[in-house]
Amino acid sequence: MSDRMQDQWLDEDAGPVVPAYALTRGRVRPSNKDIDIVAIVTAIGGPTPVSLGPEQWMILSLCARAASLADIAVAIDLPLGVVRVLVGDLHEQGLVEVRPPANVARFPTEKLLTEVIGGLQAL
């Protein structure tokens, strides 16, 4: 890349640019379990290791109130896969709880729909 092009995109205040895969040390999956995009993440509290990176501190602060994995990724402006690995690391350290979202109501049965249609037609 030419110096002129680089100056157009970076300035002295930008700081070092770190590729997203470096935040996860090249890992693409959480070490302990698959974490769904709509999984709900909540910070557990308790003693927090000082060795956490700034991205993990941001995740912990966002998860003081329950947040979905997708919402966390948007809030800290990182790819979903990277956030999935970072949340997996926090879960493995016992700093966050990861649970599936609440069950959504099941679809009504054909019998129920037939009864509703019959009732509407009777009106």
Side-chain angles (χ1 to χ4, degrees):
M1 182 183 315
S2 73
D3 287 338
R4 197 178 107 187
M5 274 182 89
Q6 187 173 5
D7 290 342
Q8 184 179 14
W9 295 105
L10 300 175
D11 61 14
E12 293 175 10
D13 296 330
V17 176
V18 178
Y21 65 83
L23 298 173
T24 64
R25 295 181 299 278
R27 295 173 296 146
V28 294
R29 294 189 187 276
S31 56
N32 54 352
K33 67 176 189 174
D34 267 342
I35 300 174
D36 194 70
I37 186 173
V38 291
I40 304 300
V41 183
T42 309
I44 294 174
T48 307
V50 184
S51 62
L52 296 179
E55 295 79 15
Q56 289 176 314
W57 281 107
M58 286 189 279
I59 291 170
L60 283 176
S61 108
L62 287 168
C63 294
R65 301 176 95 183
S68 73
L69 190 74
D71 291 337
I72 295 167
V74 168
I76 64 174
D77 195 28
L78 283 175
L80 188 62
V82 171
V83 174
R84 186 176 277 149
V85 172
L86 294 176
V87 166
D89 291 347
L90 291 171
H91 182 262
E92 193 173 90
Q93 294 176 40
L95 299 173
V96 296
E97 176 185 47
V98 179
R99 61 181 170 77
N103 290 336
V104 180
R106 295 185 329 188
F107 290 112
T109 63
E110 185 178 342
K111 180 183 175 190
L112 177 63
L113 291 174
T114 305
E115 289 176 12
V116 169
I117 290 171
L120 291 172
Q121 289 172 341
L123 292 175

